[in-house]
């Protein structure tokens, strides 16, 4: 079945440093979604990418969808302590989402 | 958050006992999902529903059953709980807006099986 891999599993950064998480699918995706889960919280939708090569920005967050629609990345510029949490990508498979294993981001002040 | 509640929020039970978790939504969404979340595994789909009495299995459905007799409620049952089912369980609904289908999650239920 479809698999979505995400790296790294953990990332610790100093506040102000950049952060990137990568997502790779075993199959071509119709779209990819990104979610953020704060510690002790539930996943919250951030964005959906649909088009090959698409790039979207939300303030300091930049999301990219690969040309082959099999990979994606999330880049955070100048991290802040509010960015702490786990970031998940998810690929759509018919009526359901296949989530990556997530990247847990810790930001030290 | 899309009017999704889960009950109970925390539960401790013993191996071999039956457990039912409830997910309730107030917005009449057709699709509902149950996930479990464990360290190193992310979110794994247990079962989902695409309408009243219409359900299907996810990737980790063994040991779990579901029922949906009303649009607003989606129940997850562990017939005989095992320690490997200790986890955090999230319910989600699928919301369709424009060309985007996204999932909105409930607050989660932390289940401990001793």
């Amino acid at each position: 079945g479809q698999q979505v891999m995400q790296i790294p599993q953990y990332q610790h950064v100093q506040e102000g440093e950049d952060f990137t998480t990568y997502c790779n699918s075993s199959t071509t995706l119709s779209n990819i979604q990104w979610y953020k889960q704060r510690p002790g919280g539930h996943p919250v939708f951030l964005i959906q990418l649909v088009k090959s090569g698409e790039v979207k920005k939300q303030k300091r967050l930049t999301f990219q969808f690969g040309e082959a629609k099999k990979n994606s990345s999330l880049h955070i510029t100048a991290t802040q302590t509010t960015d702490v949490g786990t970031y998940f990508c998810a690929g759509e498979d018919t009526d359901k989402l296949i989530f990556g294993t997530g990247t847990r981001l810790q930001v030290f002040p | 958050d899309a009017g999704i509640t889960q009950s109970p929020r925390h539960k401790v039970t013993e191996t071999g006992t039956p457990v039912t978790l409830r997910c309730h939504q107030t917005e009449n969404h057709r699709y509902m999902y149950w996930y479990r979340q464990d360290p190193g595994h992310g979110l794994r789909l247990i079962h989902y529903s695409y309408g009243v009495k219409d359900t299907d299995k996810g990737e980790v459905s063994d040991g779990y059953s579901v029922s949906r007799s009303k649009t607003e409620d989606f129940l997850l049952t562990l017939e005989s709980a095992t320690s490997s089912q200790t986890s955090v369980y999230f319910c989600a609904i699928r919301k369709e807006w424009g060309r985007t289908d996204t999932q909105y999650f409930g607050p989660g239920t932390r289940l401990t099986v001793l």
Side-chain angles (χ1 to χ4, degrees), chain B residues 26-93:
Chain B
T26 59
E27 297 185 356
N28 227 30
H29 295 286
R30 182 178 165 205
Y31 284 85
M32 298 183 76
Y33 304 83
W34 275 109
Y35 294 90
R36 60 177 290 173
Q37 185 172 35
D38 305 287
H41 290 279
L43 291 154
R44 293 183 291 174
L45 182 66
I46 306 171
H47 282 278
Y48 68 102
S49 170
Y50 46 95
V52 173
K53 294 190 183 352
D54 292 323
T55 64
D56 205 349
K57 296 180 180 180
E59 68 173 303
V60 291
S61 59
D62 286 349
Y64 301 94
S65 62
V66 289
S67 67
R68 192 160 177 208
S69 57
K70 299 185 289 185
T71 300
E72 57 266 36
D73 289 324
F74 192 30
L75 304 180
L76 176 71
T77 297
L78 292 65
E79 301 290 347
S80 178
T82 67
S83 58
S84 64
Q85 293 175 312
T86 291
S87 187
V88 179
Y89 291 86
F90 286 101
C91 171
I93 57 94

Side-chain angles (χ1 to χ4, degrees), chain A residues 10-20 36 38-39 60-61 76-87 103-109:
Chain A
Y10 301 100
Q11 185 86 59
H12 298 170
V13 300
Q14 202 77 34
E15 189 173 22
E17 292 181 338
D18 291 357
F19 159 78
T20 305
K36 177 184 178 181
R38 294 184 187 276
R60 294 176 295 103
L61 278 60
I76 302 178
T77 304
T79 54
Q80 300 176 358
T81 54
T82 54
D83 295 325
V84 164
T86 302
Y87 293 84
T103 295
R104 196 167 98 190
L105 173 64
Q106 182 64 262
V107 180
F108 295 107

Side-chain angles (χ1 to χ4, degrees), chain A residues 27-29 52-53 65-71:
Chain A
T27 59
T28 301
L29 301 168
S52 169
F65 201 9
E67 294 290 340
K69 300 183 77 173
K70 294 182 75 172
N71 56 65

Side-chain angles (χ1 to χ4, degrees), chain B residues 4-13 18-24 34-35 73-78 87-91 106-112:
Chain B
I4 307 167
T5 57
Q6 292 184 232
S7 58
R9 294 292 315 280
H10 302 271
K11 185 168 182 68
V12 179
T13 191
V19 176
T20 295
L21 308 183
R22 179 181 182 237
C23 179
H24 178 79
W34 275 109
Y35 294 90
D73 289 324
F74 192 30
L75 304 180
L76 176 71
T77 297
L78 292 65
S87 187
V88 179
Y89 291 86
F90 286 101
C91 171
T109 294
R110 184 173 294 276
L111 176 67
T112 303

Side-chain angles (χ1 to χ4, degrees), chain A residues 9 33 35 37 40-45 48 88 92 94-102, chain B residues 1 31 33 35 37 40-43 45 48 90 94 97 99-103 105-107:
Chain A
Q9 192 173 3
Q33 300 181 18
Y35 291 75
Q37 183 178 20
H42 58 274
V44 174
F45 172 76
Q48 177 178 274
F88 294 97
E92 190 167 339
T94 317
D95 294 330
K96 50 193 184 292
L97 292 177
I98 308 298
F99 282 84
T101 47
Chain B
D1 288 313
Y31 284 85
Y33 304 83
Y35 294 90
Q37 185 172 35
H41 290 279
L43 291 154
L45 182 66
Y48 68 102
F90 286 101
R94 184 169 110 182
W97 43 289
R99 290 185 294 173
T100 302
D101 295 341
T102 62
Q103 292 194 12
F105 288 78

